[in-house]
Every structure is written in structure tokens, then in C-alpha cells.
Amino acid sequence: GIQVEQSPPDLILQEGANSTLRCNFSDSVNNLQWFHQNPWGQLINLFYIPSGTKQNGRLSATTVATERYSLLYISSSQTTDSGVYFCAVEATGTYKYIFGTGTRLKVLA
Amino acid sequence: GAVVSQHPSRVICKSGTSVKIECRSLDFQATTMFWYRQFPKQSLMLMATSNEGSKATYEQGVEKDKFLINHASLTLSTLTVTSAHPEDSSFYICSATVGNSPLHFGNGTRLTVT
């Protein structure tokens, strides 16, 4: 099955810093989403981005499906950005979403 | 829009008993629902995919007789953990989608088996 690797696994930032999270996948995908999991376990949908670039406030994402990766940019990070970030992909023809390994982010005040 | 409700949020049960978790799509009809399991500090692992009116498709290594999934309507799927044991303690989370649209997740159920 498809392999979905995220990097870095852990990241510590000072408040106000910028960061880039990466999601690599081993096969072609039809869909890709980015999620933020808060300390209570809730998954917040950040982007539905099978291709192209999207922006939402301080967050933006880019997926280059032909090169099998997606990037999530966080600018001017805040302590509330702390948590785990996951990408999830639907490999072509599978009709199911597989989650990446996750990036655990901690933003320090 | 696109709200998924999952109940209960927390459950503690004794070893050997069964626990049912409900997942409802409140404002849309979900053609497909997914059940995931998450151990502490790990990623979400897909357990099964269910489509309304048909049998669930389980991922390799997931015991279908232990984790019973029923998708009786376009708005309700249930996961029953049968004869639960301490190793079944985990965070279970459902998601729903319609057609080729984004996944929407419930808030999860934290199961503790004593």
C-alpha cells in the first residue's frame, strides 16, 4: 500500500517563527488533506488540497502531485498552533484515506 | 456544515464486555464512513471502510469479529468492540464523506478497558 512520510517528526519553535512541514507519499493520489490534531484529540481540517496552492490566514499549503509531496507553511506561529499535524492521502483507486506519520509541533511563548 | 457527531466521547468498561460507539453525519448523507484507531503518540490507523447497506471492508490485521461495524443508514455507522480487553484501550475516531469530497471527523472516543 501507499507509504506516507512526514518530516520533521518533531519541531520546536519560538512564537513568531515560520515553519514548513512536509508530506511525502509513495504513489499517485486523488485527494490530500492536512489536519491539525489538538491536545484533546480533535482533528481540525486545515486544507483539502489534491493539487495546487491554497492559503488561509497564516497557513498555506502546496501539493505537487506529480512529484508526490505536499507542504504546509505556518507563518508567525502562535502557541495555539501547538499540536500534531497530519496529512492524509487517498491513493488513486483505493477510496480510502491513509494518514501520514505526523509532525509534532510545539510553539514556545 | 459537514458536522460529524461521535458518541460517547469517553467510555470505561470492564474486560469481557462489549462497547458500542456511534458516528452520525448530522447535516449531510455520508456515502462512506471510515473508522480509525490511534494509540498514544502515534498516527491514525485505518481500521475499516463502511458504505451504507453493505458490509464493511476491514484493513489487514483488523479482526472483523472483534470490531463489528454496521452502516445501517446514510447518516449512522456504529463500531462495536466485542469482548473488550485492556489491549483494546485506545482512541477511536470516525470520519464521513460524500462522493469525492473532504473527510469530516467526529471528536473521537477514548476507550479504557479495565
Side-chain angles (χ1 to χ4, degrees), chain B residues 4-16:
Chain B
V4 176
S5 174
Q6 185 173 342
H7 291 281
S9 58
R10 281 183 187 273
V11 58
I12 300 173
C13 70
K14 290 188 185 297
S15 189

Side-chain angles (χ1 to χ4, degrees), chain B residues 12-19 66 81-85 88 113-114:
Chain B
I12 300 173
C13 70
K14 290 188 185 297
S15 189
T17 61
S18 295
V19 174
K66 181 164 192 62
V81 183
T82 62
S83 186
H85 291 285
D88 299 324
V113 185
T114 61

Side-chain angles (χ1 to χ4, degrees), chain B residues 15-106:
Chain B
S15 189
T17 61
S18 295
V19 174
K20 181 184 281 190
I21 302 169
E22 287 192 352
C23 179
R24 293 180 185 272
S25 56
L26 297 186
D27 51 0
F28 67 103
Q29 293 187 323
T31 51
T32 307
M33 288 187 172
F34 303 93
W35 287 95
Y36 292 85
R37 182 176 185 178
Q38 185 180 32
F39 290 108
K41 298 195 185 302
Q42 293 188 23
S43 184
L44 282 76
M45 300 301 297
L46 179 65
M47 298 176 68
T49 303
S50 75
N51 295 290
E52 184 263 342
S54 61
K55 288 185 179 180
T57 302
Y58 290 81
E59 293 298 299
Q60 192 170 4
V62 177
E63 299 175 59
K64 60 179 72 173
D65 294 331
K66 181 164 192 62
F67 298 101
L68 300 179
I69 291 171
N70 185 287
H71 194 160
S73 74
L74 283 171
T75 59
L76 173 65
S77 177
T78 59
L79 167 66
T80 301
V81 183
T82 62
S83 186
H85 291 285
E87 57 266 31
D88 299 324
S89 298
S90 190
F91 186 64
Y92 295 87
I93 190 164
C94 70
S95 66
T97 187
V98 53
N100 191 30
S101 67
L103 285 184
H104 302 283
F105 279 86

